[in-house]
Structure formats: structure tokens, C-alpha cells
Amino acid sequence: MNYGAIKKFDIAGGLGVRVSLFVSGCRNCCEGCHNRETWDFSFGRPFTAETEREILEALAPDYIAGLSVLGGEPFEEENQRALAPFLESVRAAYPQKTIWCYTGYVYEKDLLAPDGRKRCDATDRLLACIDVLVDGPYIASLRDISLDFRGSSNQRILRLSGRKD
């Protein structure tokens, strides 16, 4: 997996000050996407053990509320397989911090359903690590800048865990 950016002090990707990882690769190609360069799976740099250490260190301060994973598309199968063990490491190291994830896919239809478009061998592991999932494709005609943490009104903020964020 490649990634396009790591933001160590982000307030746009979830509640509180967060570390945000922008993965590369997306097959949704939403019209009006503000991260078009991340559609390319080879964009950015390889996600390595050193990258993991960098993010884990950035999560250490008490004022960091957690990790946000955006894209590109975290739920492309290639990305799920790389993210699942990484998010398990984050959860083990920082059980008190929240993990937010953004996807252009629909939770029930594409990720949970046995025949879901993006369901693979890593999906359940990945979902088990996520506290808050923002789902649904960005739809330019439904753009609403008044919404918290999402760009169009069809997108939902789903709490997957009982944790407070």
C-alpha cells in the first residue's frame, strides 16, 4: 500500500486533534473529489514499518485524540489487507484513542453484506478496529459545507463501537 500524506495535527478528519493517514488508491473516482491524486494506487510513498512507527509516535501525546484514515479509499481490498494489522497495532498501543475511517462505500451494502463489493478476508478485522466510520460516496450535487466531517448530505457518521469519541 502507498500513502499520499500523514498529517500529525489534523482537526478536519474527526473530533479533536488527530493524526490523519491518507492512503493511495481509489476506484470510486467521485466527481468533485478533492483528493484526485490519491486515486492512483502508486501515488505517494510506500507504507513501511518505518511509516507505522512514525504514526505510532505521533499518536503518543495526550492531546492527540486518535487516528483518522482517509484516502484514496481505505476499503480497497489491497488497502484493507495492509491497514487491518496496522490498525490492530494502533488499537493495542492506544486503546483509549479513537480510530475514524472514511470510505466512499456504503457500510451495510458494500462492507457488511456477504456479497458486498468490498468485502474480503480483511474486512471484519478492519471494521473491528474502527470506532467511527464515515461512509458513502461524495456526491457533488449533494455538497453541503455546513455538515461536520463530511462533504455531501448522503454521507453518514456511523459509530461502530460504544466508545465515546
Side-chain angles (χ1 to χ4, degrees):
M1 177 180 82
N2 278 11
Y3 70 97
I6 297 169
K7 294 184 179 181
K8 295 183 180 174
F9 306 99
D10 192 9
I11 58 169
L15 290 176
V17 179
R18 312 185 65 75
V19 175
S20 291
L21 169 66
F22 292 81
V23 301
S24 295
C26 182
R27 294 181 180 96
N28 280 323
C29 304
C30 299
E31 179 184 337
C33 175
H34 69 277
N35 284 336
R36 292 178 75 99
E37 67 275 1
T38 65
W39 293 356
D40 182 351
F41 282 85
S42 62
F43 176 75
R45 294 179 226 142
F47 187 81
T48 64
E50 182 179 320
T51 310
E52 289 188 28
R53 281 192 300 277
E54 177 184 352
I55 293 171
L56 287 169
E57 287 175 14
L59 287 165
D62 288 340
Y63 60 84
I64 298 292
L67 174 69
S68 294
V69 183
L70 310 95
E73 176 54 61
F75 278 92
E76 296 297 357
E77 294 86 339
E78 303 91 319
N79 293 340
Q80 287 188 57
R81 292 182 181 108
L83 287 170
F86 170 61
L87 293 188
E88 289 168 344
S89 296
V90 171
R91 176 64 68 221
Y94 301 106
Q96 76 282 13
K97 300 198 183 224
T98 58
I99 298 174
W100 283 51
C101 187
Y102 286 73
T103 181
Y105 296 105
V106 177
Y107 177 61
E108 297 86 356
K109 181 176 86 171
D110 299 320
L111 307 179
L112 281 187
D115 61 344
R117 289 190 310 153
K118 291 299 155 177
R119 187 150 184 80
C120 72
D121 57 314
T123 305
D124 289 338
R125 288 176 62 197
L126 187 58
L127 288 170
C129 295
I130 296 169
D131 297 298
V132 178
L133 181 71
V134 180
D135 84 333
Y138 172 75
I139 299 175
S141 64
L142 299 177
R143 180 174 185 245
D144 184 343
I145 61 170
S146 71
L147 298 171
D148 289 333
F149 308 118
R150 52 196 193 229
S152 58
S153 61
N154 64 297
Q155 296 172 314
R156 303 177 299 169
I157 298 175
L158 305 172
R159 293 186 189 328
L160 301 187
S161 74
R163 298 167 46 106
K164 286 198 136 239
D165 43 49

